[in-house]
Amino acid sequence: MEVKFNHVTLTYPNGVEVLHDMDFDITDGQLVALLGPSGGGKSTTLNLISGLLSATSGNIYFGDKDVTKQDALGRGVGMVFQNYALYPHMTVLDNIIFPMKMAKVDKSTRKQRALELAQLVRVSDQINKKPSDLSGGQQQRVAIARALAKSPNILLLDEPLSNLDARLRVEMREEIRRIQKETGVTTVFVTHDQSEAMHVADKIMLLNDGRIQQYDAPQSLYENPNNQFVANFIGEPALNVVPADQFDDEVRQLFDGDVATIGIRAEALTNEVKAPAIKMQAVVHEVLSFGRDRQAAISVGSHQLVATEVTTAAPLEQETTLFAALSGVYAFDQSGQRLPLRGDHA
Ligand SMILES: Nc1ncnc2c1ncn2[C@@H]1O[C@H](COP(=O)(O)OP(=O)(O)OP(=O)(O)O)[C@@H](O)[C@H]1O
Ligand SMILES: [Mg+2]
């Protein structure tokens, strides 16, 4: 089901407007990640899609239908929250069956469907257990199966993996991706973990202070950020940010507009010539290895930078020339807006 927000705002009862002019489309069958820092407006946006909150102004459409005034039940959404909230006294199978029982689906059909869903989320061998006898990942699978039981128009997941350990998180995000592909259900997935969003989503909506910073394919957010906030939020290690006065005029003049800061991706900085690149004078302090990752501590003037592609061949503690590949160099104006390369208005 396609979802459309038309100039939606939300003001909480305390009078504070927390979402401003949200205008976007979610394509039918896609998985969209709502990403951003705490308080950015992710849960509020999700709850507007679900109908648990109603918009203060603007309109929300599911396909051609205006659902702005419809409640959660009428919208036919499936939801999974951070704390799985399975019914503790029911077996796994009964948990999955429950929403269909409420919807008065006949007995044999609902059992059949529950067994299929258990298979989809791979808990078929757990169906007679109580939730307390399952691992966190298994409980989360059951919660997804339960949310899918009524064949929802849209599946909404609010930080569904945040209670899981690092390895299980990675495994479960792949599982959510697989289940979403197999069912084709339009899915909105809230996370504050940029790497999680990059791995699961067809598109990422990055929110800050109740505004969309960028809504794009994951790789576009990384390669072509709209502004300094996006460039900073996406990618690990975080973007290096250096005031423009640390660079020659030549570098500043590569960009159209009044350059206030230059951002350099940690992976763009090298001690080996790579064209096209900008040159900079820097001091390499140390180069450390962490498994397959390498990290060099560098300074440019009084600014500390992190680089992942500076090798141990770089001389330490003396002024040296480093190169930053242009594809990983961004310029921003005073307000943090990205400035294009001169003659590059794509
Ligand atoms: N019931 C409420 N009444 C008033 N303000 C609220 C209410 N719920 C949330 N807010 C405010 O709305 C803003 C957005 O909150 P929201 O819960 O959508 O953020 P979030 O991106 O989901 O954050 P988190 O990652 O911490 O879950 C925050 O500034 C928050 O303080
Ligand atoms: Mg939240």
Side-chain angles (χ1 to χ4, degrees):
M1 177 73 75
E2 184 196 37
V3 179
K4 193 178 169 72
F5 272 42
N6 192 1
H7 301 293
V8 171
T9 69
L10 184 97
T11 302
Y12 275 113
N14 63 4
V16 181
E17 183 177 295
V18 298
L19 286 184
H20 321 285
D21 197 25
M22 298 282 288
D23 210 33
F24 63 83
D25 269 296
I26 295 173
T27 306
D28 181 35
Q30 282 201 335
L31 196 168
V32 168
L34 290 181
L35 175 68
S38 188
K42 305 181 294 296
S43 296
T44 306
T45 304
L46 197 77
N47 289 334
L48 279 169
I49 300 174
S50 71
L52 289 176
L53 285 172
S54 37
T56 308
S57 65
N59 292 81
I60 299 172
Y61 299 88
F62 280 12
D64 294 330
K65 191 165 174 223
D66 188 334
V67 298
T68 316
K69 298 274 181 276
Q70 225 170 19
D71 64 10
L73 207 62
R75 292 192 197 183
V77 295
M79 279 181 272
V80 177
F81 298 100
Q82 176 174 349
N83 44 350
Y84 336 109
L86 295 173
Y87 306 115
H89 56 285
M90 290 184 196
T91 64
V92 164
L93 192 65
D94 287 337
N95 261 281
I96 303 174
I97 285 175
F98 188 75
M100 296 186 275
K101 199 168 162 185
M102 290 293 100
K104 305 215 167 15
V105 176
D106 80 70
K107 234 175 177 167
S108 66
T109 310
R110 70 198 189 210
K111 178 156 187 206
Q112 181 59 34
R113 169 112 181 108
L115 289 170
E116 285 166 15
L117 286 165
Q119 196 164 23
L120 173 74
V121 302
R122 301 197 174 141
V123 293
S124 297
D125 51 348
Q126 311 288 327
I127 52 172
N128 296 316
K129 283 188 178 175
K130 295 279 170 62
S132 58
D133 300 329
L134 300 178
S135 71
Q138 289 168 336
Q139 291 183 44
Q140 206 49 285
R141 288 164 194 267
V142 176
I144 293 169
R146 193 180 59 180
L148 289 170
K150 282 205 293 174
S151 305
N153 292 321
I154 298 161
L155 179 63
L156 303 173
L157 307 141
D158 196 350
E159 308 243 14
L161 308 181
S162 54
N163 287 338
L164 307 179
D165 71 56
R167 195 164 286 229
L168 195 53
R169 274 185 87 117
V170 170
E171 196 181 301
M172 276 304 293
R173 79 181 184 212
E174 300 309 326
E175 279 297 280
I176 287 176
R177 184 77 192 142
R178 174 185 66 79
I179 293 164
Q180 196 272 331
K181 285 283 157 234
E182 277 182 30
T183 58
V185 64
T186 308
T187 300
V188 183
F189 179 102
V190 170
T191 179
H192 56 259
D193 179 340
Q194 60 94 25
S195 160
E196 198 161 278
M198 293 290 283
H199 279 87
V200 300
D202 294 307
K203 275 179 98 171
I204 294 175
M205 186 183 302
L206 181 50
L207 290 171
N208 188 40
D209 286 338
R211 283 182 210 284
I212 298 175
Q213 303 295 314
Q214 193 161 350
Y215 178 41
D216 232 329
Q219 202 60 16
S220 304
L221 269 84
Y222 173 76
E223 287 173 0
N224 204 6
N226 279 344
N227 59 38
Q228 195 169 337
F229 180 86
V230 176
N232 240 314
F233 203 87
I234 304 287
E236 174 67 33
L239 190 75
N240 294 299
V241 178
V242 185
D245 60 18
Q246 296 290 323
F247 295 86
D248 298 338
D249 272 350
E250 218 175 289
V251 171
R252 291 195 295 266
Q253 280 160 12
L254 287 171
F255 302 93
D256 242 348
D258 205 356
V259 183
T261 49
I262 299 271
I264 303 172
R265 293 241 179 250
E267 54 275 29
L269 260 182
T270 69
N271 50 324
E272 283 147 9
V273 192
K274 259 193 199 158
I278 60 169
K279 271 199 242 178
M280 55 208 285
Q281 290 309 110
V283 176
V284 180
H285 301 291
E286 58 178 356
V287 181
L288 297 173
S289 291
F290 307 95
R292 73 182 171 89
D293 297 331
R294 194 165 54 215
Q295 220 170 77
I298 288 162
S299 51
V300 172
S302 61
H303 302 277
Q304 310 300 314
L305 277 61
V306 169
T308 59
E309 305 302 320
V310 167
T311 69
T312 48
L316 298 182
E317 302 300 348
Q318 65 188 67
E319 188 107 318
T320 183
T321 303
L322 294 183
F323 303 87
L326 253 190
S327 60
V329 175
Y330 313 123
F332 305 103
D333 69 12
Q334 203 62 53
S335 72
Q337 278 308 301
R338 169 109 178 267
L339 297 169
L341 278 168
R342 237 171 240 281
D344 181 13
H345 291 276

